[in-house]
């Protein structure tokens, strides 16, 4: 018998085996993708996909999002250790541009955090008690142009995220013990939080007007027009949670902290379970409808698994 025939048989068997394994994997992914709609039913019932989340296949790890005129603006670090970037997506045309960041003329490779557009400026959180302020006109330059973000402004918190509303800026921090410690311990009615959000008049970032004591794992913060506060919380591959605090759940404690009145976020009015790795929050009004926007870092090249679940979009949530 020719020695080639057993090899052909073996090769055919191997191909069949590989095909069978791939079919099982595809069926498994299909099943999980169908399962997610039931498991995250409330989240998907509120969802509209506003735009493609940019840079996910270019080693970009998104951390922050805001809306500037007709542009979605995202910011994040690069897993290849090149300059951190801002990406923009035109809401009307879908055009994508990116901008490497520099600070005081030097390459900026910060982890970054939340980003916020307000009154002609962008505010960028970068942990380490620092916030950067630079003109929003910089994101309307030629694709690939470097953006100078200047020197940091120092704050009382770890500055993980930032949100703007009217003439106020809210700057807050992420807490997880022991990896990400925070020193802003506040207790109320037997419960203790270690992270804060500080509210500032945007014309004076030297002293807070109000302090909000918040729970752990907060990645983003926003305030709706009716005063409802929403938090985005996530860690690792666990499900994200969006905590909704209606005004009656935001308790004024009667105490002060850093010279400002303290508000304590008690049990949320509603908890919305969402896919893993939700990030920063902002609020937009499109076609007279107020929506909360966020995105997920799970679909970037660093983590990959979000690609399998089609988490490559900017989410608008009718909360």
């Amino acid at each position: 018998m020719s020695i080639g025939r057993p090899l052909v048989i073996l090769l055919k068997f191997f191909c069949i085996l590989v095909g069978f394994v791939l079919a099982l994997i595809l069926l498994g992914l299909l099943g999980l993708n169908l399962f997610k709609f039931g498991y995250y039913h409330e989240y998907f019932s509120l969802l509209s996909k506003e735009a493609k989340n940019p840079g996910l296949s270019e080693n970009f790890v998104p951390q922050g999002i805001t809306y500037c005129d007709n542009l979605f603006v995202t910011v994040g670090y690069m897993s290849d250790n090149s300059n951190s970037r801002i990406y923009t997506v035109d809401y009307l045309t879908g055009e994508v541009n990116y901008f490497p960041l520099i600070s005081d003329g030097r390459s900026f490779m910060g982890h970054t955090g939340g980003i916020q557009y307000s009154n002609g400026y962008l505010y960028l959180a970068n942990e380490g008690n620092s916030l950067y302020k630079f003109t929003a006109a910089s994101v309307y330059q030629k694709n690939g142009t470097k953006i100078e973000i200047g020197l940091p402004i120092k704050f009382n918190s770890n500055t993980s995220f930032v949100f703007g509303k009217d003439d106020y800026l809210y700057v807050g921090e992420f807490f997880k013990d022991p990896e990400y410690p925070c020193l802003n311990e506040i207790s109320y009615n037997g419960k203790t939080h270690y992270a804060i959000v500080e509210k500032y008049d945007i014309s004076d970032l030297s002293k807070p007007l109000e302090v909000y004591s918040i729970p752990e794992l907060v990645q983003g913060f926003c305030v709706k027009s009716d005063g409802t506060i929403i938090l985005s919380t996530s860690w690792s591959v666990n499900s994200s949670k969006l905590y909704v605090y209606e005004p009656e759940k935001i308790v004024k404690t009667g105490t002060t902290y850093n010279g400002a009145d303290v508000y304590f976020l008690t049990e949320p009015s509603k908890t919305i379970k969402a896919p893993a790795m939700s990030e920063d929050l902002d609020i937009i009004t499109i076609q007279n409808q107020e929506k909360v926007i966020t995105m997920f870092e799970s679909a970037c090249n660093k983590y990959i698994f979000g690609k399998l679940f089609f988490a490559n979009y900017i989410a608008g949530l009718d909360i």
Side-chain angles (χ1 to χ4, degrees):
M1 183 176 65
S2 170
I3 193 171
R5 187 175 179 185
L7 288 176
V8 171
I9 294 172
L10 183 62
L11 182 60
K12 287 182 177 179
F13 175 77
F14 178 75
C15 290
I16 292 170
L17 180 62
V18 170
F20 180 73
V21 171
L22 288 175
L24 285 178
I25 291 172
L26 290 173
L27 285 172
L29 288 173
L30 177 61
L32 288 172
N33 271 288
L34 292 174
F35 173 77
K36 74 181 182 184
F37 290 107
Y39 193 68
Y40 300 120
H41 169 74
E42 185 171 16
Y43 166 80
F44 282 107
S45 72
L46 303 171
L47 172 68
S48 58
K49 296 180 181 180
E50 302 297 334
K52 181 180 178 181
N53 192 9
L56 297 179
S57 297
E58 299 169 9
N59 297 317
F60 178 66
V61 185
Q63 300 296 305
I65 186 169
T66 191
Y67 190 72
C68 176
D69 295 330
N70 65 318
L71 296 180
F72 291 106
V73 180
T74 66
V75 69
Y77 66 93
M78 300 296 290
S79 59
D80 61 5
N81 295 318
S82 59
N83 290 38
S84 304
R85 290 183 180 182
I86 281 176
Y87 275 85
T88 63
V89 183
D90 190 296
Y91 174 72
L92 299 176
T93 68
E95 180 184 353
V96 173
N97 289 294
Y98 80 92
F99 307 93
L101 302 183
I102 56 175
S103 173
D104 196 30
R106 301 177 181 178
S107 294
F108 178 83
M109 293 176 284
H111 181 277
T112 77
I115 191 169
Q116 179 65 45
Y117 168 72
S118 186
N119 296 339
Y121 289 92
L122 288 167
Y123 296 85
L124 170 63
N126 188 52
E127 299 182 332
N129 304 84
S130 60
L131 194 72
Y132 294 82
K133 177 184 178 182
F134 52 99
T135 176
S138 58
V139 299
Y140 291 91
Q141 301 179 83
K142 181 181 176 182
N143 184 46
T145 301
K146 291 182 179 178
I147 291 179
E148 172 63 66
I149 63 174
L151 293 171
I153 306 166
K154 295 297 182 180
F155 284 82
N156 297 313
S157 70
N158 287 336
T159 57
S160 300
F161 50 85
V162 58
F163 173 74
K165 183 176 186 293
D166 301 324
D167 292 321
Y168 301 104
L169 205 65
Y170 298 79
V171 182
E173 59 188 352
F174 176 94
F175 168 73
K176 185 180 187 301
D177 189 36
E179 294 94 335
Y180 294 90
C182 294
L183 302 177
N184 295 302
E185 180 179 336
I186 296 176
S187 298
Y188 174 77
N189 206 20
K191 190 170 186 176
T192 300
H193 294 156
Y194 296 90
I196 60 172
V197 173
E198 293 178 295
K199 177 183 178 180
Y200 294 87
D201 188 304
I202 207 163
S203 65
D204 183 6
L205 301 179
S206 65
K207 58 180 184 296
L209 303 174
E210 297 172 351
V211 170
Y212 295 83
S213 183
I214 60 171
E216 64 177 356
L217 307 181
V218 176
Q219 302 274 6
F221 170 102
C222 66
V223 185
K224 294 184 65 179
S225 57
D226 65 359
T228 296
I229 288 176
I230 301 171
L231 305 179
S232 164
T233 68
S234 69
W235 177 254
S236 186
V237 298
N238 301 309
S239 293
S240 304
K241 292 180 180 178
L242 299 170
Y243 293 128
V244 181
Y245 297 86
E246 294 174 348
E248 62 269 20
K249 296 290 187 177
I250 305 165
V251 178
K252 187 173 183 179
T253 65
T255 61
T256 61
Y257 193 75
N258 293 335
D261 290 332
V262 173
Y263 293 81
F264 200 93
L265 301 191
T266 59
E267 292 301 313
S269 310
K270 179 189 292 186
T271 300
I272 301 167
K273 195 159 47 177
M277 294 189 171
S278 67
E279 293 295 321
D280 192 26
L281 299 179
D282 196 9
I283 290 182
I284 61 173
T285 301
I286 295 179
Q287 298 177 347
N288 296 318
Q289 184 179 6
E290 186 179 68
K291 293 183 180 181
V292 176
I293 58 170
T294 190
M295 41 68 171
F296 303 85
E297 65 175 330
S298 60
C300 70
N301 283 349
K302 181 176 179 179
Y303 298 110
I304 296 178
F305 73 90
K307 297 180 189 294
L308 304 176
F309 296 97
F310 307 101
N312 60 342
Y313 53 84
I314 292 170
L317 300 169
D318 184 17
I319 301 176

